[in-house]
Each structure stands twice: as C-alpha cells, then as structure tokens.
Amino acid sequence: MYAEKYFPASSKAKVEEMVNNILAAFDERVDSLAWMTPQTKAKAREKAKSMRVSVGYPERWRDYAKLEVRADDALGNRLRAELHEYRHQLGKLGQPVDSGEWWMTPQTVNAVQLPLQNAMNFPAAILDKPFFDPEADPAANYGSIGAVIGHEISHGFDDTGAEFDAQGRLANWWTSSDTQHFQEATKKLAAQYSAYEPLPGLHVNGKQTSGENIADVSGLTIAYMAYRKSLGDKPAPVIDGLSGDQRFFLAYAQTWRGKIRDAALRQRLLTDGHAPAAQRAQTVRNIDAWYDAWGAKPGEQLYLAPAERIKIW
C-alpha cells in the first residue's frame, strides 16, 4: 500500500537507471586503481557484476495471511508475530538462499548491503526528498541518493565485503598486499575523523566509525563519476547560478541536515558505528572535484592538502 501510493513505477525506473550507472562507474574505477593487483580486480569486478540491487520493494511480497492480528490484543499480536517470523526463518533450512529476500519494509527510511546475498535493498521511503526527487536534475539526485547507492555498493568491497565472494560465501578474495594498502588508507581516514570534535572534549571515534566513513568517501567518489558519465560529454546546465558540480555537492550536504540534542549526540558518539551527520557531510574534503567546484583554498577550515585527501576506491 505504501509503495503503491508513494513510489510510482517511473521513480523506480529512474533509480534503477542510476544504480546501473553507478555500478558501471564502479567497474571503471576498479580498472583504474593502481594499488590493486589484477587478481583482486578480477574478483571485485565479478562481484560487482553479480550484485543484486533491489529498488523500492521486493519482487515477491511476503505472505502474512496466517498471521492473526487482533485490535484488542497488543501483547498477543507481538507474540504471534515473533512466532510467525521464527517459523519463516526455520522454513529456510535446507533451501537455496533467496538472494531477492528483503530485510526491511518499503516504508523504512534506510538502505542496506547484504553480504550473504551479495545484494542491496533500497526501500521506497528513502527514495524521496531530500534523497531523491524525480523532478530534480541529475546533479542533485546523484549527489544525494547516488551517494547513498555508492555507499552501500562500496560496503561490498571494504574490509568486511572482502570476506564474502560474489556468491555470498565466506571467502576472502583480496591478496595480502591489497589488504595491507587498504589497512594503511583506513588508518589515515580514522585519524582524520578522530580529529573532529562535535562536542567540547568529545571526538569522533575514527576507528569505531571506520567502515561507514570508508563507504561515505568511496560512495561519493563513485556517485560523482557516475554523474559526470551521465552527462554524455555535454556541459551541465547552470541552475539558480550554480554549476552542475556545485549542485551535486550541495545536494550531498543537504541530505545530512539535521537537529540533535547534545545528550543524544553524546550517546551516538560513544556507541554508533556512524559519524554524526555534520561530520559525514565533511566527506567532501577528500574529493578533488569539490575543491574545483567550490574553490576551497589553503588556510580555510575545510581545506585538506592533496596529499592528505584519502582515496581508497
């Protein structure tokens, strides 16, 4: 009902086209990496090619006909729902893995990478403003939902993704030299984030948030490549006085707007695997194109010297 009302087929088609473009950009990016061995490149491209990306909602809906829900029995509803889910999971024993299975509802604002299925789910609810607007120009959509798509794709190729092959089996497909390079780059990125101080005396834990920070940098890099490729060598229009590249990075920043009380921010800094929204927006400091678009210069607060900008994928 939610998908039918809020996520038309036209939006699904647009997002799926973006996904294909971002996967193609990722494939191209892998091919150009100087630090990665040919053996690992081949495995990465194989995994990217077989990755299943589901947009909006599952191809097959779950059947809840046997679940009894009563208006006057809240506790009973909860217990029956748990039993229904338990039986659903037991029913998978001895059966082939369903790579198309969803782990979130369409009305959930989130996205997920599923290493055991080599798959991703992008629910309909996140495919709405500010992450996706079917009326917006490509620069805005690639900078917002495109970066989210790139983020989830890159999780399939980070230190956790390296543990699962193209079929979702537990099998590390990196060479030792590739692993070493990745770990060194990861340490530098962790140090960068650990320098952020969202609250007086309380810093981001760069190690704790490492996997998500890597995915943010990689995802934004790939989304930008896909956006430029989508132009087909044509110049982007200037809209509201902003170039295409400026709109791309502005859209990325706008997706991280938010309000949070100090107490909640403190809790998240101590427990969350993600950096706070304001610091996630600063991912742009590692992207060369952001400097060209907005003219950040040495001595300004967000400027990073080229040698300090972290590039992994």
Side-chain angles (χ1 to χ4, degrees), residues 261-281:
R261 296 181 188 273
D262 285 355
L265 178 56
R266 179 179 295 275
Q267 180 197 42
R268 292 189 188 182
L269 283 167
L270 294 173
T271 62
D272 199 343
H274 302 78
Q279 283 66 49
R280 295 186 75 174

Side-chain angles (χ1 to χ4, degrees), residues 3 5 24 86 111 114 125 135 142 147 166 171 173 181 188 194 223 252 277 301:
K5 184 172 182 179
Y86 177 66
L114 304 163
E135 303 303 321
Y142 274 98
W173 46 275
H181 174 93
K188 293 178 183 177
S194 292
Y252 181 75
Q301 185 177 354

